[in-house]
Amino acid sequence: LAKEQGKSVGIVTSTTVVHATPASFFAHVGSRHEEENIASQVGSSHLDLLLGGGRKFFFPEGQGGQNRQDGRNLSYELEGMGWRIQRTKQEMSPAPHGTKIIGLFSFDHIPYIFDQNDGQKSRIPSLKEMSQYAIRHLSQNPNGYFLLIEGGRIDHAAHSNLARKMIGEIIEFDDTVGEVKRMVNLGETLVLVTADHETGGLALNGFMDRQRHHKEILGNTTYQGSPNHSIISWASGPGYHSSDLVDTHVKDFVHKAALEQGNSAVHTADDVLIFSDGNGSELFRGSMDNTDIFHKTASLLISARTIRPN
């Protein structure tokens, strides 16, 4: 629909660029696990920009550890189609309007923020940096653009009951949303923030004394005489086997879960929120079926009238 309106289209993610959410915007396959097939559809897609991780799906087996099994080197194929390939933050240079760009900044998913060393941070752009670059590039189109930005590693940390890493990814996503709102003209741009589901059944059990703050939320608390217990817990996941000792200084500490669920917590049926700002934001209020998000967005995209925010 965006392309029919002459707009540019881009995707930014902290997962691999062929993961479920980005793939659903440009590929058609029988299963989300057909990642090599998904990668092979980038070149024939409507995309103008695709930034994230997942180099291993674009290079043949044996080339620098990459493990594509069919022998195809998709980077060569994409370059032959006119795509610009980026592998590091330093390669994210300005490009003329109409240049198709794919950024593959890590072998697999973009590493968790708390796992990146100084060397990685110097080479791998953050979600906010990728989003800044995407907006600058796509906004060269006078007809506007559609941009999907996914903080996908929030979900991954929640599946593993890794609360500290999850919070780190949420902070990065929050910084990204703030930067997006600063960069765009909200009089002519709609900004939506939502999720596809909740993961793991995160719970906050009580709260801290007012003198405690920041990372201490990851520790224990005493509330109205009750014994020390973790402020953070999960409904399911590998934390079922977690120790009673809560050490906020251990970045890989697995907070406790009520139900054993193998190595990965399950998605829950909790409602998720949707936040909106800018042109047309008044359409996104109250409870709604998740499919209504598409229909309302599409109605704005194809409508000739201009809808102003409240």
Side-chain angles (χ1 to χ4, degrees), residues 183-196:
M183 291 185 70
V184 304
N185 178 353
L186 292 174
E188 61 183 22
T189 306
L190 172 65
V191 178
L192 296 177
V193 180
T194 191
D196 48 357

Side-chain angles (χ1 to χ4, degrees), residues 2-3 7-11 25 138 144-148 297 301:
K3 279 293 181 178
K7 301 182 187 299
S8 296
V9 177
I11 296 174
F25 284 80
L138 299 177
Y145 58 91
F146 170 87
L147 174 61
L148 167 74
T297 305
L301 195 62

Side-chain angles (χ1 to χ4, degrees), residues 51 89 92 121 124-134 136 172 176:
L51 305 180
K89 184 189 303 188
M92 297 173 69
K121 289 179 180 179
I124 300 174
S126 66
L127 187 68
K128 181 168 75 172
E129 290 170 331
M130 287 191 287
S131 301
Q132 290 171 322
Y133 182 87
R136 292 189 185 108
E172 182 187 28
T176 301

Side-chain angles (χ1 to χ4, degrees), residues 1 17 67 79 106 118 123 152 171 224 243-244 246:
L1 290 174
V17 296
N67 61 357
E79 285 179 327
S106 62
D118 291 341
R123 299 189 306 273
I171 291 172
Q224 293 183 346
S243 165
D244 289 329
V246 178

Side-chain angles (χ1 to χ4, degrees), residues 20-63:
T21 296
S24 69
F25 284 80
F26 70 86
H28 296 276
V29 293
S31 167
R32 62 179 290 174
H33 301 295
E34 297 178 37
E35 292 161 307
E36 287 193 8
N37 188 0
I38 292 169
S40 68
Q41 296 184 39
V42 172
S44 59
S45 72
H46 291 302
L47 293 179
D48 298 286
L49 175 141
L50 181 61
L51 305 180
R55 276 199 301 269
K56 65 181 182 180
F57 299 108
F58 290 82
F59 293 86
E61 186 176 18
Q63 291 207 3

